[in-house]
Amino acid sequence: MEKATPKTKTYFENAQGIKVTNKTLSTRYKDEAILANQSVIVGREPLIIGGILGLGLILFCFQFGDLLYWSEMFLIACIGALILVGGYSIAALRVGQYMQERTIFWHTIWTVQNVRMAIARARNNMENETENVIIQNGGE
């Protein structure tokens, strides 16, 4: 009698090679097993760096605006705004045990949030499957 292998359910998949199943998180370069006691963190370091640099450039334009041409002010303000938008849009996904997380990949905040939610759904499904297991003591 053959044992039925559990089917792999896919929770998230995109064209860049990121795939979340009920057992693994796969990227182009590494695979990570999804465990019930694993922490999943969205890192936003580019937001802080982009905020400081972008606001610094914009404040530079306002402080020294009387010494700059309009085209120079516009160019510096546009570069500052692009840095702000880029810092807001980029995030890192960290997976691992508490205080020992590793950065798995960098991507847009929307993709990272979708992967994080897919991992949460996969872990929730794992917990629901283990609740249905009945343990019996045999031979007592």
Side-chain angles (χ1 to χ4, degrees), residues 29-102:
Y29 303 111
K30 41 176 117 165
D31 295 338
E32 184 79 25
I34 295 176
L35 305 173
N37 61 350
Q38 193 174 45
S39 63
V40 180
I41 298 173
V42 176
R44 297 301 306 268
E45 293 87 5
L47 178 62
I48 297 168
I49 295 168
I52 291 170
L53 290 175
L55 290 176
L57 286 174
I58 291 171
L59 291 175
F60 176 82
C61 285
F62 287 122
Q63 183 67 32
F64 298 105
D66 56 339
L67 302 174
L68 298 170
Y69 292 113
W70 285 103
S71 60
E72 293 171 339
M73 284 178 44
F74 180 74
L75 180 65
I76 292 172
C78 285
I79 291 172
L82 284 174
I83 291 173
L84 279 171
V85 169
Y88 175 78
S89 300
I90 298 172
L93 183 75
R94 294 192 192 123
V95 177
Q97 302 302 318
Y98 178 69
M99 299 294 290
Q100 297 176 357
E101 294 91 5
R102 295 178 314 282

